């Protein structure tokens, strides 16, 4: 039975799954930053650990909850359709970022906050791992799993949408107020696109593109020099 139409209680596997989805990324960000600082190896280890938690969540879904990835709207019945949707979602997100930049400019906010220069020694290939992880893990955690499980528990898709969105946005506090604003706006757009089409693959690709173009593609082309 699909979790979208099945009323569920807060079982132990769902509780653990929500802990992973809602708080693991912030925990890893704080733990590694405060205890080890930022270096290429530290960033790489952090990202691989986050990927491992995605694997743990998938294991919980299959083996503990006895569900499939369809329960987080991850399916490959039409990859072409998902690719097309991802481009639309990317454009909407880019417009959201543009609106944020217009708000930030008169306020003097800069993207990155206090951590703006912390990653200057991290090579682009590790940044690619970071961007890939963001596109996969953040959508699986905050959109696919959290929204579906909270919706099934509370019966409200809007509660299910807002809880992970607020946690997702606050989790970017190290990037300063600009990071929180952009995370809230773009996260809100991706939340709405997820609720609209229930296509997690499209969300993942769009999220990847949002991070890949400014952080990997443009620097590789020398656009920031």
């Amino acid at each position: 039975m699909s979790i979208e139409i099945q009323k569920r209680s807060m079982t132990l596997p769902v509780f653990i799954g929500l802990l992973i989805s809602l708080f693991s990324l912030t925990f890893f960000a704080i733990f590694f930053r405060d205890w080890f600082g930022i270096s290429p190896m530290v960033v790489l280890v952090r990202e691989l650990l986050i990927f491992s938690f995605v694997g743990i969540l998938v294991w919980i879904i299959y083996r503990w909850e006895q569900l499939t990835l369809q329960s987080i709207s991850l399916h490959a019945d039409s990859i072409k359709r998902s690719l097309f949707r991802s481009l639309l979602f990317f454009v909407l997100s880019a417009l959201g970022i543009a609106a944020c930049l217009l708000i930030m400019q008169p306020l003097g906010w800069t993207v990155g906050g206090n951590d703006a220069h912390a990653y200057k020694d991290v090579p682009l290939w590790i940044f690619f791992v970071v961007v890939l992880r963001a596109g996969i893990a953040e959508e699986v955690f905050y959109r696919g799993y959290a929204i579906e499980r909270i919706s099934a528990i509370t019966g409200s898709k809007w509660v299910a949408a807002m809880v992970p969105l607020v946690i997702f946005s606050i989790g970017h506090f190290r990037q300063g107020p600009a990071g929180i604003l952009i995370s809230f706006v773009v996260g809100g757009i991706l939340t709405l696109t997820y609720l609209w089409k229930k296509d997690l693959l499209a969300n993942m690709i769009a999220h990847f593109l949002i991070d890949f173009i400014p952080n990997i593609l443009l620097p590789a082309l020398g656009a920031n020099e």
Side-chain angles (χ1 to χ4, degrees):
M1 183 180 294
S2 172
I3 198 165
E4 289 84 0
I5 61 174
Q6 182 180 5
K7 182 72 173 178
R8 285 176 167 252
S9 60
M10 178 68 83
T11 61
L12 180 60
V14 172
F15 176 75
I16 294 175
L18 286 174
L19 281 181
I20 291 173
S21 295
L22 296 175
F23 303 110
S24 64
L25 289 179
T26 302
F27 168 78
F28 279 120
I30 294 174
F31 177 79
F32 277 89
R33 180 68 171 81
D34 291 349
W35 283 83
F36 302 104
I38 294 176
S39 69
M41 184 55 64
V42 168
V43 173
L44 181 60
V45 170
R46 182 192 68 196
E47 298 305 306
L48 293 178
L49 279 174
I50 294 173
F51 271 120
S52 74
F53 268 64
V54 175
I56 290 171
L57 185 63
V58 170
W59 181 88
I60 289 173
I61 293 170
Y62 272 106
R63 301 303 298 272
W64 211 355
E65 294 183 327
Q66 297 294 303
L67 295 168
T68 69
L69 294 182
Q70 291 276 1
S71 70
I72 59 171
S73 301
L74 185 58
H75 42 77
D77 55 337
S78 179
I79 295 178
K80 289 183 179 180
R81 183 173 59 198
S82 294
L83 287 172
F84 175 79
R85 288 173 177 171
S86 71
L87 295 177
L88 172 61
F89 298 171
F90 167 74
V91 171
L92 293 174
S93 300
L95 292 174
I97 293 174
C100 289
L101 293 176
L102 290 175
I103 295 172
M104 290 158 46
Q105 187 174 9
L107 296 174
W109 291 355
T110 57
V111 180
N114 295 330
D115 276 354
H117 303 291
Y119 289 86
K120 65 181 184 301
D121 295 325
V122 178
L124 277 181
W125 73 267
I126 292 183
F127 256 123
F128 179 82
V129 177
V130 175
V131 167
L132 183 64
R133 183 276 303 162
I136 295 173
E138 293 181 14
E139 292 307 312
V140 169
F141 288 170
Y142 293 110
R143 253 66 71 179
Y145 191 87
I147 287 178
E148 295 300 341
R149 298 314 187 260
I150 295 174
S151 178
I153 292 167
T154 65
S156 170
K157 66 179 181 180
W158 298 114
V159 171
M162 288 305 301
V163 169
L165 176 58
V166 170
I167 294 174
F168 172 75
S169 304
I170 294 175
H172 289 78
F173 70 96
R174 287 195 180 276
Q175 298 177 12
I180 295 175
L181 174 64
I182 291 175
S183 299
F184 183 80
V185 171
V186 176
I189 291 170
L190 291 174
T191 295
L192 290 174
T193 59
Y194 176 79
L195 292 173
W196 177 30
K197 293 299 184 182
K198 289 296 185 74
D199 187 345
L200 190 63
L201 179 59
N203 261 49
M204 288 163 55
I205 297 171
H207 193 144
F208 171 79
L209 292 174
I210 292 164
D211 291 335
F212 175 78
I213 291 175
N215 293 300
I216 305 294
L217 182 60
L218 294 182
L221 296 175
N224 60 343
E225 295 179 357

